[in-house]
Amino acid sequence: MPRKTTEALNSIWGSGAADVWAAGDSGTLLHYDGKAWSAAFTRSDGALYRVFRSGPRELWATGYGHLRHFDGTTWQSVSVGSPATLTAGWASDATHVWLAGESGTIMRYDGKSWEKASSGTTVQLSAMWGSGASDVYAAGERGTLLHFDGSSWSTVDAGASPLVVLKDIWGSGPRDVWLVGDRGTLLHFDGNKWQPGEYKTQRTLYAVHGSGPADVYVTESSGNVLYFNGKSWTVLPTGSTATLGGIWARAPGDTWLAGSDGVLLHSQSDAK
């Protein structure tokens, strides 16, 4: 696929086959309309780390400096009232938008204003995901995992080593959540308890996403992708040596990857 940038792409997300976004260093923001990629102008020189949505046409991009917001027509910078660099984000809808990042900072937008939440930690938080407004996770350094139950944030013991950085978290629902990080950290929550995933590696696992419990993808530092079919893990070679920090699985067999040097990969073959 022709490259539109040589900047590292840190995140990729889409609402459908003809609406895919990738965000990266130097304010890079790309859009795919089903035919070709084009650059979006965000008036930013800072790195963008996560792109996610809170509504049918409402997007957010986290990174250095101000938060970026897309209203369906234009991108604008938004101040959240915090000096912290907020690199992680997730939303269940337009009135439940969450950001997390530096020094354990967590911010919430209720559709009108931003307010800081008490996280109980000072570590860097690098990933967020939730199944709903009352089931949200934030993960980061020192094996830290936090959970929001609709009222407050609390620490969760997922069994991650305090020596690892948790890079990403995703689930198909509240009883199927995956957590990945460096030193081969791969953990799964079945609704009852967290336990190690049945794949052994010492490589860094950067990102996790899927279209369902039997269609889960994890990127690793070798440039390959780990694939879980609901029963076991297999390695899918990508042919790339890029650091693949972003993954979005639209449907079984239809997966996008984004990474260093502006790499964008798209697979539309059945993964078995």
Side-chain angles (χ1 to χ4, degrees), residues 137-138 142-147 154-162 166 179 187-189 192-196:
Y137 291 93
R142 301 178 189 173
T144 300
L145 181 64
L146 308 177
H147 181 257
S154 60
T155 301
V156 175
D157 183 5
S161 166
L166 298 174
L179 183 62
L187 299 165
H188 181 253
F189 182 63
N192 182 40
K193 63 180 179 180
W194 287 91
Q195 52 192 351

Side-chain angles (χ1 to χ4, degrees), residues 16 18 25 48-49 64 86-87 110 112 146 165 176 197 212 245 259 266:
D25 290 357
L48 298 176
Y49 288 101
Y64 284 110
L86 302 170
T87 56
D110 63 4
K112 296 180 180 180
L146 308 177
V165 177
D176 178 42
H266 187 204

Side-chain angles (χ1 to χ4, degrees), residues 34-158:
K35 296 181 180 179
W37 285 92
S38 60
F41 184 54
T42 62
R43 298 182 182 179
S44 169
D45 293 326
L48 298 176
Y49 288 101
R50 297 279 175 170
V51 58
F52 62 99
R53 77 169 179 177
S54 60
R57 293 287 292 166
E58 191 171 33
L59 299 175
W60 303 85
T62 67
Y64 284 110
H66 288 297
L67 176 72
R68 284 79 180 176
H69 176 250
F70 183 67
D71 62 6
T73 303
T74 59
W75 284 91
Q76 294 183 333
S77 293
V78 176
S79 175
V80 302
S82 171
T85 297
L86 302 170
T87 56
W90 179 84
S92 60
D93 54 51
T95 61
H96 295 85
V97 182
W98 292 96
L99 304 175
E102 186 180 24
S103 302
T105 302
I106 295 180
M107 303 292 295
R108 183 201 164 184
Y109 182 64
D110 63 4
K112 296 180 180 180
S113 62
W114 291 92
E115 77 172 8
K116 186 176 181 180
S118 176
S119 70
T121 185
T122 58
V123 305
Q124 172 78 29
L125 299 172
S126 53
M128 299 190 88
W129 174 85
S131 68
S134 299
D135 181 37
V136 187
Y137 291 93
E141 294 180 339
R142 301 178 189 173
T144 300
L145 181 64
L146 308 177
H147 181 257
F148 180 74
D149 62 3
S151 298
S152 61
W153 288 90
S154 60
T155 301
V156 175
D157 183 5

